[in-house]
Amino acid sequence: MSDAAENRPGWGLTATAFTVVAFLQLPVIVVVLAAFSTTSYLTIPPQGLTLAWFGKVLSDPTYLSAIRMSLILACGSTLISLVLGVAAAYALFRKVLPGSEAVTSFLMAPLVMPAVVVGVALLQFYSMTGLRGSLVGLLLAHVVITVPYVVRSALASLSGLDLAVEEAARVLGASGFEAFRLVTLPLIAPGLVAGALFSFITSLDNVPVTIFLISASQTTLPVLIFSSVEMGIDPSVAAVSTLLILATGIVLLLAERRFGFHRFV
Amino acid sequence: MGSLTFEGLGKSYGEVEVVRDISLTIAEGEFVSLLGPSGCGKTTILRMVAGLVEPSRGRILIGRDDVTNLPPNKRGLGLVFQSYALFPHMTVFENVAFGLRRRKVAGTELDKRVREALGMVRLAAFGERYPRQLSGGQQQRVAIARALAPHPRVLLFDEPLSNLDAQLRDEMQIELKRLQRNLGITTLFVTHDQGEALSLSDRVGVMAKGVMQQFAAPEEIYHRPATGFVASFIGKPNRLAGSVAMREGSGGRLAVGGVAIPAARIEQPAGAQVDVVIRQEAVAIRSGAAQSDEIAGEIVLRSFSGARVQYVVRLAEGVEIVAETASHGPEASLTAGAPVALAIDPASVFAMPPEGATA
């Protein structure tokens, strides 16, 4: 008990922390409030109270196709990242190849590289290879951005594993793949769920890479929000942003409840 | 079931030879231990048998089948790990069923054989528990049941008792031995604990630096060590710096700081510097003055350890050796300073190449 008391931060630190969090979260609150305004322009505090902007967004084919596009990209890139990322992490963990450290750094590079740089580089590359404007190209770009999250969470989970467990399965008659599927995979699953969620969310709200690669006909939700804001703001942008915040928040909350996944971040 | 044979088995990592040219046969139903300090290659041998490490040279046969190049899942073995390596996300029942399911055993037959295996380790009522809900000893028994359930041809143990506390370890030793005898299953047991190896095994292989020093029955290993290493590794040896004073037949007399000690077997020539290895339990101690053939000394320290009493005895010229006797015997309560006479069995005295520091 005395330990806990000694480790508790002082009121000064607590107050500072609260101020910082409030400052960071204030814009989010502003956007959410603005979505309920009856005016045709963004204003704070909101005038009146209406759900009309949500209705407008959910019946607007431009928004709907953008939402559909974003979900396809997020789901697709997360699935591909899971397969590739888990395979890569397993090989790195088992040190199948020499130079595992170098490969790890390479896989993690998109995480530390400025996203704009990745976007420009891919644009150049896609122009040369003819992938520009294609869904496949966009999907691959999102895989590049999301795969580090899966690799990192998979590596973290694997490092906590007793290697003998998989060997035990092998000696008991399981093939290499069976041992992985029946023993290793279930044991690292909570970590993979965390990685997949991060991957999903990262893909869902990516602008800086996506904006270089989309065609005029197919846009994603965050890029659409970005361009809508440029053309003049009405509360429908706030409404769709609120939906995005809500969806992300619910997913994170469920994951935390189910897996306590803060351990894997 | 089957015998287990090594033919010129060896393993190198780059330049380092960790297992050197091992050839031996473990008979069907035999219990063999590999005993040695850590890094002697015993675990590498076990892992090669299991198929988890690829041999650099030689062959491994189970019965008449060459399994050297088979993957672990095709060898039909049971392996009990030091860490138990139970599957934490499965119940005890599912852990034990794992090997059976891989062999397509299902339904009532699966049920019957899992129960049979759990019954053998007296855990019949624990099927629905998860490994984390069991004590260390219970987890160990689940690991044994899991290895036994598929009726393996050979059972392998990798230091299985070293994570248990002393009393539980003794219990498990007896339980293991009984189980192995009842099932008559060929067993290879790897350990660094000589007590375990000697009491459990039909034969013991003592290893050092990748080389098999001696492969023989426990009594033979204990009473007739083949090499200096075995002599100094088995039992509780005194190790004293000395030299060969005189050769006579196969034996002669060794000198340790002016004290002459007869030895039945000496390989070095007269005058050679040697380490003299004398088992504590081979030194008979008697209070009173020394007669001929006995060595005079004086008690320095007495140490009581339950069934046995150890004495540190100072001989002439400051040489000290440790002698052991039964704690209920007539010589169990000698006090410091008491004059004693020591008789040392020449067959239990070994001369080996000096290893620098003496202990």
Side-chain angles (χ1 to χ4, degrees), chain A residues 162 165 167 170 172-174 182, chain B residues 47 73 83 87 89 99 103:
Chain A
D162 179 8
V165 168
E167 293 177 346
R170 296 280 281 133
L172 283 167
L182 296 171
Chain B
R47 292 176 65 80
N73 48 320
S83 62
F87 307 131
H89 59 303
R103 287 162 178 76

Side-chain angles (χ1 to χ4, degrees), chain B residues 199-260:
Chain B
S199 70
L200 284 171
S201 319
D202 298 313
R203 280 190 292 171
V204 178
V206 183
M207 296 194 59
K209 294 180 180 145
V211 178
M212 183 66 75
Q213 303 284 320
Q214 188 174 9
F215 181 53
E219 289 80 3
E220 174 100 7
I221 296 269
Y222 186 84
H223 291 299
R224 285 180 294 282
T227 69
F229 175 82
V230 180
S232 61
F233 188 73
I234 304 288
K236 283 189 252 168
N238 288 285
R239 197 179 167 124
L240 309 160
S243 61
V244 180
M246 192 197 79
R247 289 295 311 269
E248 193 178 75
S250 63
R253 266 211 310 278
L254 301 167
V256 178
V259 181

Side-chain angles (χ1 to χ4, degrees), chain A residues 8-17:
Chain A
R8 199 166 296 147
W11 65 269
L13 186 57
T14 310
T16 310

